[in-house]
Amino acid sequence: MTRPALIPTETLPIERVEIVNRITVLVEPDKELQALGWQRETTVTQQVLPTQFFMGRQWVVTHDSPTTGQPVEWNWQVELFRDTRYMQRLCLSTRGFANQALLDTLAAVFLHVEPAKPLYATGPMPHGYQVVPPAAPLKAFGGIPNLHYYTAGDEQYLALYAQRYAVNERGIEDASFVNLYEIVQVRLEEDQFLQLVRQALEAAYSTPFY
Protein backbone atom coordinates (compact mmCIF):
# COMPACT_ATOMS: atom_id res chain seq x y z
CA MET A 1 0.00 0.00 0.00
CA THR A 2 1.32 3.44 -0.91
CA ARG A 3 2.11 5.55 2.11
CA PRO A 4 -0.15 8.65 2.04
CA ALA A 5 1.52 12.03 2.13
CA LEU A 6 1.20 14.32 5.11
CA ILE A 7 -1.41 16.50 3.46
CA PRO A 8 -1.02 19.92 5.13
CA THR A 9 2.33 21.59 4.49
CA GLU A 10 1.55 25.22 5.32
CA THR A 11 3.05 26.92 8.35
CA LEU A 12 3.06 30.46 9.70
CA PRO A 13 5.44 32.81 11.53
CA ILE A 14 5.51 32.34 15.30
CA GLU A 15 7.56 34.86 17.24
CA ARG A 16 8.96 33.98 20.65
CA VAL A 17 8.38 37.06 22.81
CA GLU A 18 9.49 35.98 26.30
CA ILE A 19 9.97 32.87 28.43
CA VAL A 20 7.98 32.12 31.59
CA ASN A 21 10.31 30.71 34.24
CA ARG A 22 8.30 30.76 37.48
CA ILE A 23 4.75 29.64 38.16
CA THR A 24 2.33 29.33 41.06
CA VAL A 25 0.57 25.97 41.31
CA LEU A 26 -2.68 25.33 43.19
CA VAL A 27 -3.55 21.67 43.68
CA GLU A 28 -6.86 20.56 45.17
CA PRO A 29 -6.35 17.03 46.52
CA ASP A 30 -8.41 14.09 45.29
CA LYS A 31 -9.61 11.20 47.46
CA GLU A 32 -6.52 9.13 46.65
CA LEU A 33 -4.10 11.78 47.87
CA GLN A 34 -6.17 12.28 51.01
CA ALA A 35 -6.38 8.55 51.70
CA LEU A 36 -2.63 8.19 51.30
CA GLY A 37 -2.18 10.94 53.85
CA TRP A 38 0.12 12.84 51.50
CA GLN A 39 -2.06 15.87 50.80
CA ARG A 40 -5.23 16.61 52.77
CA GLU A 41 -5.67 20.30 52.04
CA THR A 42 -5.42 22.49 48.96
CA THR A 43 -1.83 23.61 48.46
CA VAL A 44 -0.36 26.66 46.71
CA THR A 45 3.34 26.51 45.86
CA GLN A 46 5.86 28.54 43.88
CA GLN A 47 7.74 26.46 41.34
CA VAL A 48 10.42 26.89 38.67
CA LEU A 49 10.01 25.33 35.23
CA PRO A 50 10.40 22.55 34.31
CA THR A 51 8.53 20.97 37.20
CA GLN A 52 6.17 18.25 38.37
CA PHE A 53 3.18 18.43 40.68
CA PHE A 54 0.34 16.17 41.74
CA MET A 55 -2.70 16.27 39.50
CA GLY A 56 -5.20 15.96 42.34
CA ARG A 57 -8.86 16.68 41.71
CA GLN A 58 -7.98 19.99 40.10
CA TRP A 59 -4.85 21.99 39.37
CA VAL A 60 -4.48 25.64 38.44
CA VAL A 61 -1.31 27.30 37.17
CA THR A 62 -0.76 31.06 37.25
CA HIS A 63 2.25 33.18 36.38
CA ASP A 64 3.21 36.77 35.79
CA SER A 65 3.17 38.13 32.26
CA PRO A 66 6.82 38.45 31.20
CA THR A 67 6.04 41.73 29.41
CA THR A 68 3.58 43.51 31.74
CA GLY A 69 4.00 41.76 35.09
CA GLN A 70 0.25 41.25 35.35
CA PRO A 71 -1.07 37.87 36.61
CA VAL A 72 -1.96 35.30 33.93
CA GLU A 73 -3.84 32.02 34.44
CA TRP A 74 -3.28 28.93 32.31
CA ASN A 75 -6.75 28.40 30.86
CA TRP A 76 -8.74 26.17 28.50
CA GLN A 77 -10.77 28.90 26.82
CA VAL A 78 -9.59 28.11 23.27
CA GLU A 79 -12.08 25.43 22.25
CA LEU A 80 -9.76 23.45 19.99
CA PHE A 81 -7.29 22.90 22.85
CA ARG A 82 -9.92 21.63 25.28
CA ASP A 83 -11.70 19.34 22.83
CA THR A 84 -11.29 15.84 24.27
CA ARG A 85 -11.18 14.37 20.75
CA TYR A 86 -7.91 16.17 20.09
CA MET A 87 -6.08 16.72 23.39
CA GLN A 88 -3.98 13.54 23.33
CA ARG A 89 -3.09 14.11 19.66
CA LEU A 90 -2.04 17.72 20.23
CA CYS A 91 1.58 16.74 20.62
CA LEU A 92 4.92 17.37 18.96
CA SER A 93 4.66 14.34 16.68
CA THR A 94 3.17 13.60 13.27
CA ARG A 95 1.60 10.53 14.88
CA GLY A 96 -1.35 12.74 15.73
CA PHE A 97 -0.43 16.08 14.18
CA ALA A 98 0.03 15.66 10.44
CA ASN A 99 1.85 18.80 9.37
CA GLN A 100 5.62 18.50 9.64
CA ALA A 101 6.31 22.09 8.59
CA LEU A 102 4.04 23.50 11.29
CA LEU A 103 5.41 20.99 13.79
CA ASP A 104 8.96 22.19 13.10
CA THR A 105 7.87 25.82 13.48
CA LEU A 106 6.26 25.06 16.84
CA ALA A 107 9.27 23.12 18.11
CA ALA A 108 11.58 26.02 17.26
CA VAL A 109 9.67 28.22 19.73
CA PHE A 110 10.76 26.06 22.68
CA LEU A 111 14.22 25.85 24.21
CA HIS A 112 14.31 22.32 25.63
CA VAL A 113 13.20 19.95 22.88
CA GLU A 114 15.18 17.85 20.42
CA PRO A 115 14.27 15.51 17.54
CA ALA A 116 12.78 12.32 18.95
CA LYS A 117 14.96 9.24 18.72
CA PRO A 118 13.43 6.25 16.88
CA LEU A 119 12.29 3.39 19.07
CA TYR A 120 13.11 0.82 16.42
CA ALA A 121 15.92 0.58 13.91
CA THR A 122 13.75 -0.28 10.94
CA GLY A 123 10.43 0.82 9.50
CA PRO A 124 8.91 4.27 9.05
CA MET A 125 8.61 6.38 12.16
CA PRO A 126 6.60 9.53 12.85
CA HIS A 127 8.50 12.80 12.87
CA GLY A 128 8.50 14.38 16.29
CA TYR A 129 10.29 16.09 19.16
CA GLN A 130 10.98 15.01 22.72
CA VAL A 131 11.70 16.98 25.86
CA VAL A 132 15.33 17.23 26.93
CA PRO A 133 15.39 15.97 30.54
CA PRO A 134 16.56 18.50 33.14
CA ALA A 135 19.59 17.96 35.35
CA ALA A 136 17.34 17.31 38.38
CA PRO A 137 15.90 13.77 38.43
CA LEU A 138 12.13 13.85 37.88
CA LYS A 139 10.14 10.64 37.46
CA ALA A 140 8.71 9.81 34.04
CA PHE A 141 10.12 13.05 32.71
CA GLY A 142 10.63 13.38 28.96
CA GLY A 143 9.02 11.77 25.96
CA ILE A 144 6.77 13.43 23.39
CA PRO A 145 5.05 16.40 25.09
CA ASN A 146 1.52 17.68 24.61
CA LEU A 147 1.01 21.16 23.18
CA HIS A 148 -1.24 23.80 24.74
CA TYR A 149 -2.24 27.30 23.61
CA TYR A 150 -3.98 29.93 25.72
CA THR A 151 -4.47 33.66 25.78
CA ALA A 152 -4.77 36.42 28.36
CA GLY A 153 -6.13 39.63 26.89
CA ASP A 154 -3.91 40.40 23.91
CA GLU A 155 -1.16 38.04 25.08
CA GLN A 156 -0.66 34.57 23.60
CA TYR A 157 1.12 31.59 25.14
CA LEU A 158 2.29 28.17 23.96
CA ALA A 159 3.16 25.50 26.49
CA LEU A 160 4.44 21.93 26.66
CA TYR A 161 3.11 19.55 29.30
CA ALA A 162 2.08 15.95 30.02
CA GLN A 163 -0.44 14.45 32.41
CA ARG A 164 0.65 11.08 33.79
CA TYR A 165 -2.32 9.07 35.03
CA ALA A 166 -1.86 6.50 37.77
CA VAL A 167 -2.92 2.93 37.11
CA ASN A 168 -3.02 1.90 40.76
CA GLU A 169 -2.51 4.52 43.45
CA ARG A 170 -1.27 2.15 46.16
CA GLY A 171 1.52 4.50 47.16
CA ILE A 172 2.30 8.15 46.76
CA GLU A 173 4.95 7.31 44.17
CA ASP A 174 2.10 6.04 41.97
CA ALA A 175 -0.16 9.10 42.24
CA SER A 176 -1.21 10.92 39.07
CA PHE A 177 0.90 13.96 38.30
CA VAL A 178 1.56 16.69 35.76
CA ASN A 179 4.83 17.49 34.00
CA LEU A 180 4.96 21.13 33.01
CA TYR A 181 7.95 21.65 30.76
CA GLU A 182 7.85 25.12 29.18
CA ILE A 183 5.62 28.16 28.80
CA VAL A 184 6.50 30.71 26.11
CA GLN A 185 4.81 34.00 25.37
CA VAL A 186 4.43 34.21 21.59
CA ARG A 187 3.05 36.38 18.83
CA LEU A 188 1.10 34.72 16.00
CA GLU A 189 -1.96 35.18 13.78
CA GLU A 190 -4.51 33.26 15.83
CA ASP A 191 -7.18 32.49 13.23
CA GLN A 192 -4.63 31.10 10.79
CA PHE A 193 -2.87 29.16 13.55
CA LEU A 194 -6.04 27.46 14.78
CA GLN A 195 -7.09 26.61 11.23
CA LEU A 196 -3.71 24.97 10.51
CA VAL A 197 -3.78 23.06 13.78
CA ARG A 198 -7.27 21.72 13.09
CA GLN A 199 -6.26 20.66 9.58
CA ALA A 200 -3.21 18.84 10.95
CA LEU A 201 -5.26 16.98 13.54
CA GLU A 202 -7.91 15.91 11.05
CA ALA A 203 -5.33 14.87 8.46
CA ALA A 204 -3.68 12.59 11.02
CA TYR A 205 -6.60 10.19 10.73
CA SER A 206 -5.50 9.32 7.18
CA THR A 207 -1.83 8.62 8.03
CA PRO A 208 -0.42 5.22 8.99
CA PHE A 209 0.86 6.63 12.27
CA TYR A 210 -2.55 7.35 13.85
Side-chain angles (χ1 to χ4, degrees), residues 135-208:
L138 296 171
K139 65 177 182 179
F141 205 90
I144 304 295
N146 289 92
L147 178 72
H148 187 54
Y149 170 75
Y150 61 101
T151 62
D154 294 332
E155 296 181 359
Q156 301 166 305
Y157 293 89
L158 286 171
L160 296 179
Y161 74 107
Q163 298 188 94
R164 309 291 184 177
Y165 293 94
V167 176
N168 186 351
E169 297 193 5
R170 292 176 296 178
I172 196 60
E173 67 277 4
D174 302 315
S176 300
F177 61 94
V178 178
N179 286 339
L180 187 44
Y181 302 116
E182 292 190 63
I183 301 175
V184 182
Q185 185 180 354
V186 298
R187 188 174 293 116
L188 52 78
E189 207 295 300
E190 184 177 274
D191 289 342
Q192 182 187 9
F193 171 66
L194 296 179
Q195 180 182 10
L196 292 177
V197 169
R198 187 179 296 277
Q199 288 174 352
L201 291 168
E202 293 176 351
Y205 282 113
S206 65
T207 74

